[in-house]
């Protein structure tokens, strides 16, 4: 059995859905379980519409509603599907519109409501695709993952829980598979133990697929996307980037953690545990072998595999001479950050003990500065801490490769390249895994940095 996940662009229009149908038919003998993302742009529009409703912009969200509606209805018509599907999809659209009206009236939105709304894209597309497969004579049925996928209640970034999900999957979906049916399952969404719809974070359909791979002890998980595999850099920044034939779980985990959108950062975990390989394949080029990701045995010494980046970040710096020797400052800093639910992407090492410097998403930064100032009010008053400084518009660049471990001189090469190209390195990470070297630069220098590192370390 194979779990196959198709991303947003792979199911973005009727023509693409036909291609996906061809791929599924081609691999029917592998007994695929199919996971789909919402049609491209739909999740973004659902989130935008919610923001417009919150801001009281009715014309704005009505326009967004109309564009989502047309996209799905046109797809149903173009694929020549049963007209009864239009009213089924219409029900989801209506519930979105009603939620937006309620949000407009309240003037605010909760994370719970946002998850419910942003899950609708997946619910609509699985119905359309299952119906299309039926039209092709395949015994297919759509499933909403909140019927069985139980998660933590961390809305917007929930984690699947194995035991309960497995039991429910066996109850709700297994009978259909045992009858020889094909399941078309929504990616991205789940349900918390108290019954609320959750989502697994942006790009979360990858995690749905790998989680199912684990539950089903799949032979492999195939992630169908719009590029030829995991590439040596983001192809939108580096046109010379090329696909990598094979990578290890840890390498891809590092790459996705540091910004490579090709897989969700937490999606490798369910597979590592059971040693289930993943293939990254191109829906637009289905004959290309893509990238295979396994535990990986042979380590190519000194080899840099890929360069990634994350933009729109802020560097926060808590400074002050009085911090020297006062125990517990770092603990209080990180406790404050975690209480705000913010994620620290990188911590930079400083030996002098006069500052603590870390990187967060820019949209979380101001709130953190305010909370930190409050937490250290007394120390700031006493001048033990000078203040909390914030540097916006920075980016993290990461150079990744398992063979870097224990190979001296890579950091030297990396920073020689940045120096030679006039790129100012603002901070360097405390590399723990040794599978990557990460550092912070001004956001405006990302392209130059990624391109020059790619040219000199990979090309
Ligand atoms: P999907 O909708 O199929 O999940 P995503 O847009 O989430 O697709 O991820 C695929 C995209 O990730 C590619 O189109 C590419 O632009 C981007 N990307 C960034 N870094 C990499 C990389 N190192 N390798 C491959 N793709 C990358
Ligand atoms: N549709 C969701 C998103 O856009 C999940 C996914 O595409 O994997 O984030
Ligand atoms: Mg994705």
């Amino acid at each position: 059995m194979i779990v196959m996940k198709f991303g947003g662009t792979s199911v973005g229009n009727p023509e693409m859905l036909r291609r996906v149908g061809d791929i599924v038919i081609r691999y029917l003998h592998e007994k695929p379980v199919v996971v789909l993302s919402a049609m491209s742009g739909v999740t973004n529009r659902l989130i935008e519409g919610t923001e417009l409703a919150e801001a009281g912009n009715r014309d704005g969200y009505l326009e967004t509603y109309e564009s989502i509606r047309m996209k799905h209805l046109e797809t149903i018509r173009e694929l020549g599907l049963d007209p009864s599907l239009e009213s089924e999809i219409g029900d989801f659209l209506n519930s979105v519109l009603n939620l937006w009206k309620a949000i407009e009236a309240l003037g605010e939105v909760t994370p719970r409501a946002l998850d419910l709304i942003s899950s609708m894209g997946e619910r609509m597309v699985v119905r359309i695709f299952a119906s299309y497969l039926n039209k092709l004579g395949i015994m297919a049925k759509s499933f909403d993952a909140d019927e069985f996928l139980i998660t933590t209640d961390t809305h917007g970034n929930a984690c699947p829980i194995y035991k309960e999900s497995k039991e429910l999957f066996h109850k709700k979906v297994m009978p259909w598979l045992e009858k020889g049916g094909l399941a078309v399952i929504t990616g991205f969404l789940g349900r918390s133990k108290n019954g609320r719809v959750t989502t697994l974070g942006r790009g979360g359909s990858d995690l749905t697929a790998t989680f199912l791979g684990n539950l089903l002890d799949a032979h492999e998980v195939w992630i169908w996307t719009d590029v030829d595999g995991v590439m040596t850099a983001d192809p939108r920044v580096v046109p010379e980037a090329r696909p990598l034939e094979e990578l290890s779980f840890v390498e891809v985990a590092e790459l996705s953690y540091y910004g490579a959108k090709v897989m969700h950062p937490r999606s490798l975990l369910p597979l590592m545990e059971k040693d289930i390989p993943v293939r990254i394949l191109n829906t637009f080029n289905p004959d290309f072998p893509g990238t295979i990701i396994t535990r990986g045995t042979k380590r190519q010494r000194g080899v840099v595999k890929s360069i990634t980046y994350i933009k729109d970040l802020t560097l926060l710096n808590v400074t002050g001479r009085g911090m020297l020797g006062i125990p517990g400052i770092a603990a209080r800093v990180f406790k404050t950050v975690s209480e705000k639910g913010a994620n620290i992407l990188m911590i930079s090492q400083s030996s002098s003990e006069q500052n603590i410097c870390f990187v967060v998403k820019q949209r979380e930064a101001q709130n953190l500065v305010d909370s930190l100032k409050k937490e250290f009010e007394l120390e700031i008053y006493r001048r033990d801490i000078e203040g909390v400084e914030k540097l916006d518009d920075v980016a993290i660049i990461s150079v990744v490769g398992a063979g870097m471990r224990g190979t001296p001189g890579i950091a030297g090469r990396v920073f020689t390249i940045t120096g030679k190209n006039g790129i100012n390195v603002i901070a360097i990470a405390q590399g723990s895994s040794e599978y990557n070297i990460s550092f912070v630069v001004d956001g405006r220098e990302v392209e130059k940095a990624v391109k020059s590192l790619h040219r000199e370390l990979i090309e």
Side-chain angles (χ1 to χ4, degrees), residues 123-247:
R123 297 183 198 275
M124 294 191 280
V125 76
V126 291
R127 285 167 170 79
I128 293 176
F129 188 61
S131 163
Y132 175 64
L133 290 181
N134 292 154
K135 193 182 155 190
L136 299 182
I138 296 166
M139 192 168 112
K141 193 159 108 179
S142 64
F143 291 87
D144 294 309
D146 52 345
E147 284 181 42
F148 63 85
L149 205 163
I150 305 301
T151 71
T152 54
D153 61 3
T154 28
H155 285 280
N157 202 20
C159 294
I161 300 173
Y162 286 84
K163 192 168 167 288
E164 284 90 339
S165 303
K166 193 167 186 168
E167 282 165 13
L168 282 169
F169 187 89
H170 278 266
K171 225 191 269 167
K172 306 270 176 169
V173 189
M174 221 37 174
W176 176 252
L177 299 181
E178 277 163 359
K179 259 199 294 190
L182 189 148
V184 182
I185 301 176
T186 56
F188 189 43
L189 61 109
R191 158 163 66 92
S192 66
K193 280 185 187 163
N194 55 9
R196 307 286 174 186
V197 172
T198 55
T199 61
L200 310 179
R202 294 309 305 272
S205 302
D206 298 328
L207 179 53
T208 309
T210 57
F211 181 71
L212 286 175
N214 180 308
L215 283 197
L216 291 164
D217 287 309
H219 170 54
E220 287 187 359
V221 173
W222 294 2
I223 305 287
W224 291 89
T225 183
D226 57 0
V227 283
D228 275 335
V230 180
M231 322 265 289
T232 51
D234 184 345
R236 286 166 302 186
V237 172
V238 183
E240 294 79 12
R242 54 178 172 75
L244 291 154
E245 236 170 83
E246 53 182 345
L247 283 167

Side-chain angles (χ1 to χ4, degrees), residues 239-282:
E240 294 79 12
R242 54 178 172 75
L244 291 154
E245 236 170 83
E246 53 182 345
L247 283 167
S248 67
F249 289 130
V250 214
E251 286 171 321
V252 180
E254 295 274 334
L255 281 172
S256 53
Y257 182 77
Y258 285 105
K261 213 184 153 198
V262 66
M263 274 196 90
H264 179 287
R266 283 183 280 116
S267 60
L268 277 311
L269 296 172
L271 302 178
M272 283 176 163
E273 191 186 298
K274 288 199 172 165
D275 238 331
I276 300 170
V278 198
R279 280 177 206 277
I280 310 290
L281 298 160
N282 190 350

